[in-house]
Amino acid sequence: MQIIKSRIRIALEKMAWLMPALGLTGCSLSPAIPVIGAYYPGWLFCLIIGVILTLISRRIILNRYPSLALASVIYTALFALYSMLVWLVFF
């Protein structure tokens, strides 16, 4: 049992130098959009577009199904779907 623990410990010590390197990696170019001289993160625009598309979808859904069950779950899911799709398409 002692041999197994020492082998695991040796393997972890060999890999320990990689941990700081993993923390230093990052994006070479952040997804930021310049608007009138200021840089805004891309996720902010994805959220705004997601809200707008969800409100448009809400208008369409309420015209067809006035008594919609679990509306809060449906609109939250649509918001997440639209936001993530915008991120995938534009970034």
Side-chain angles (χ1 to χ4, degrees), residues 42-60:
W43 58 264
L44 184 65
F45 289 103
C46 291
L47 292 179
I48 292 169
I49 293 171
V51 167
I52 292 169
L53 290 174
T54 303
L55 291 175
I56 292 170
S57 297
R58 180 181 181 268
R59 171 81 51 140
I60 293 169

Side-chain angles (χ1 to χ4, degrees), residues 11-89:
L12 287 175
E13 287 175 358
K14 286 182 181 178
M15 292 174 44
W17 64 274
L18 286 175
M19 293 304 166
L22 292 174
L24 294 175
T25 61
C27 298
S28 61
L29 178 64
S30 64
I33 301 170
V35 177
I36 310 174
Y39 288 94
Y40 293 97
W43 58 264
L44 184 65
F45 289 103
C46 291
L47 292 179
I48 292 169
I49 293 171
V51 167
I52 292 169
L53 290 174
T54 303
L55 291 175
I56 292 170
S57 297
R58 180 181 181 268
R59 171 81 51 140
I60 293 169
I61 290 171
L62 284 180
N63 286 339
R64 288 189 167 201
Y65 308 105
S67 60
L68 183 65
L70 298 173
S72 61
V73 174
I74 292 172
Y75 295 136
T76 304
L78 281 174
F79 167 69
L81 174 75
Y82 289 143
S83 298
M84 291 178 204
L85 284 176
V86 169
W87 180 265
L88 284 175
V89 169

